[in-house]
Structure formats: C-alpha cells, structure tokens
Amino acid sequence: MARPADRRPGFSRRAQYGIFTGYVIAVAGFLAGAALLIVSIVNPSAFSSVRGAASEIARPAGEAGAETRAAGQSVIAAIGAYFQAGRQNAALSREVAAARANALTMQALEGENRRLKALLGIVDPAVKPVAAARLIGSTSASARRFAVLSAGAAQGVRPGQPVRSAAGLIGRVIETGPGTARVLLVTDPENVVPVRRARDGLPAFVEGKSDGRIAIRLLNMGVNPLKLGDVFVTSGSGGLYPPGIPVAVVTEVLHDGGVGHLASDPADADFVVVLPVFQPVAITALGASQQAAGPAPEPSEAGGGT
C-alpha cells in the first residue's frame, strides 16, 4: 500500500526534531555561503591561502594526469610516424636527389663564371673586343688544325682577326659565315706566329707540328739560349696579333730552338674573344699571300678534340 501524500510527523517528537534540524542546517549553510560570497567580493585575497592549499593537495593528481596525456600523445605520434615513414622517406629521397642536382648545376655555373671573369680580366679597355663566343667544333682527324666559332659576320667577325682565351692565343679567323667562323689554330703547320720571350724580348716565331705541340724557331742562330719553362708571347710583328698575348711554354730544348705546348689549349677553352687586327694594313698583305699560295685543303670537321 502506497504511503499517503501527507507527510506530517504527527505527534512523533523525533520526526519533528529531524525536520527542524534540517531546516536549521539549510538556513545556516545558506547564510555561511552568503557570508563567504560577500567576503570574496569585498576582499578577494582573503581565501588565497585556502586556494593555495587546495592546489597543493590536487597537484599530484594533476601531474599524474599531465604525464598520462604526454605519454598518450607520444604513443599516438609514434604510431602516426610509423605509418608515415615510407612516404616521408620517399619525399626525403626526392629532395636529396634534387639538392644533389642543384649542387652540380651550381658547381658548373661557378666554373663557368670563373672562366668568364678570367676572360674579362684580360681584355684591354683601350681595345674593344669584336665578339665573345664559344668554340663549338674542331678538326677530329686531320693534319690541319681548325676550330669553329659560334660567332660570324653578323657579329662583326672578319677574316684575319685574332682569337684568344683567358690563358692565351688560340689562333686567327680565316673564314666567316653569317653565324659561325672558322679559326686557324696556332698548332696548325701553316700558322706562323711572331713571338718574343717574355722575360727579355728574345725574338722568335712558332709554328704547329700537327701533333698538338708547337715548334719554337729562333731568328738569331747561334748558342741556344732557351730554357725549360720559358714563356713566349706575341711580339706584334706582322700586324695581325696584338703584342703581349701568351702563346707557348718551352718543354724541350733543341739545338736550333725548342718544342713547347700552348699556353691555352683550345680543348679546354670554353669561351673566347675575337680581337680586332692589330694593324689593319696587314690584312691586305695576308690576302695577297694567300692568293699566291692557293686555296688550303679542306679538313674533316667534327666536334672532336683539337
């Protein structure tokens, strides 16, 4: 049977005291809460010590919770890294390959810039170069020594003009086309270049030997004054080559002269400059001598070595 809705204690004193005590505790709690609220509003720092004590009591539980969160995050990160390791390794491999290719490209550009700066450093400001170009081809199987220049009549290149690199003389232009020119190298047997010894002006001339070396012939016969390592430069005689361009270094002393190697190997020369003729009147004399000698034989030309 359900209890009736009337909950009056009746005549039980115990029940009456229980209800009264409950009301007293509720009112006392309400008054205490109201008092604490008023005190916290009027003087907020009054309960700082209590808050500090509560924080100290709760600190171990907070530290344990923080360590648990950190450990959980580390585990999740490790699992994620494990599944992403393959993709990351592939991406890193691609980046390393790209960086290696860029490094090689930068090394090539650095070398090219170094050669260009060296080439610019030898240009006399008083003599403006006709053109700057590359050697794009050379004779591959012939006793003659020719090279092909990537500049021609359109750039102002004309037959007879000297061609040099940063290290020394390469040869002279003998034929020109619209965008290319053929260069007779110093190592060609038909090319004779007047020179002088750099340290004392000893006159001589050099001519090619068809094997990549050059012969050094002295003008004054007698006791051979040549020494290994002597450097010969253009003398300016003949009017084609400006004076002072390095041509050859003596590597072998003979009874009537010597044998040397070029100061500038055409095979190692990427960039060259074409210079104006030292004395333009020399072109007329050169043309007359070439007409009297007849046309030169045609060599086979390719992209091989000089």
Side-chain angles (χ1 to χ4, degrees), residues 184-239:
L184 182 67
L185 300 177
V186 178
T187 52
D188 188 87
E190 300 296 328
N191 196 0
V192 178
V193 181
V195 295
R196 59 178 175 82
R197 190 160 58 179
R199 60 186 174 89
D200 59 3
L202 177 70
F205 63 91
V206 300
E207 57 184 359
K209 290 177 61 66
S210 300
D211 59 357
R213 299 187 300 168
I214 53 177
I216 302 172
R217 309 296 183 187
L218 299 177
L219 297 181
N220 299 324
M221 301 302 295
V223 179
N224 189 349
L226 296 184
K227 296 181 179 180
L228 296 179
D230 282 347
V231 178
F232 282 84
V233 299
T234 53
S235 63
S237 300

Side-chain angles (χ1 to χ4, degrees), residues 50-282:
V50 178
R51 288 193 297 269
S55 299
E56 290 296 329
I57 294 172
R59 184 180 66 178
E63 291 178 349
E67 291 179 359
T68 303
R69 288 195 305 272
Q73 292 174 355
S74 300
V75 171
I76 294 173
I79 296 174
Y82 176 79
F83 286 106
Q84 295 179 0
R87 184 177 60 186
Q88 291 176 349
N89 288 339
L92 290 175
S93 298
R94 290 192 297 269
E95 292 179 2
V96 169
R100 185 179 294 111
N102 291 335
L104 294 176
T105 302
M106 292 301 297
Q107 290 178 359
L109 291 176
E110 182 180 358
E112 184 173 337
N113 288 337
R114 184 169 57 250
R115 290 190 293 270
L116 287 174
K117 289 180 179 179
L119 189 62
L120 291 175
I122 53 88
V123 176
D124 185 359
V127 180
K128 184 178 179 180
V130 176
R134 289 179 180 267
L135 294 178
I136 58 175
S138 61
T139 52
S140 58
S142 174
R144 303 300 303 275
R145 291 291 185 266
F146 296 93
V148 179
L149 193 66
S150 64
Q155 289 76 34
V157 179
R158 299 291 182 270
Q161 293 174 340
V163 179
R164 69 160 299 174
S165 69
L169 186 67
I170 296 293
R172 59 182 170 86
V173 178
I174 58 171
E175 294 178 1
T176 60
T180 59
R182 191 161 69 157
V183 179
L184 182 67
L185 300 177
V186 178
T187 52
D188 188 87
E190 300 296 328
N191 196 0
V192 178
V193 181
V195 295
R196 59 178 175 82
R197 190 160 58 179
R199 60 186 174 89
D200 59 3
L202 177 70
F205 63 91
V206 300
E207 57 184 359
K209 290 177 61 66
S210 300
D211 59 357
R213 299 187 300 168
I214 53 177
I216 302 172
R217 309 296 183 187
L218 299 177
L219 297 181
N220 299 324
M221 301 302 295
V223 179
N224 189 349
L226 296 184
K227 296 181 179 180
L228 296 179
D230 282 347
V231 178
F232 282 84
V233 299
T234 53
S235 63
S237 300
L240 289 179
Y241 306 103
I245 301 177
V247 179
V249 179
V250 177
T251 57
E252 182 181 352
V253 178
L254 306 177
H255 67 282
D256 60 345
V259 177
H261 65 79
L262 289 176
S264 176
D265 187 354
D268 296 332
D270 290 336
F271 295 93
V272 296
V273 291
V274 181
L275 302 176
V277 175
F278 181 49
Q279 294 178 350
V281 69

Side-chain angles (χ1 to χ4, degrees), residues 6-35:
D6 186 6
R7 298 192 178 191
R8 289 180 296 178
F11 296 100
S12 176
R13 290 183 176 274
R14 184 176 180 180
Q16 293 176 354
Y17 289 151
I19 295 173
F20 177 75
T21 302
Y23 283 123
V24 171
I25 293 174
V27 172
F30 173 78
L31 294 176

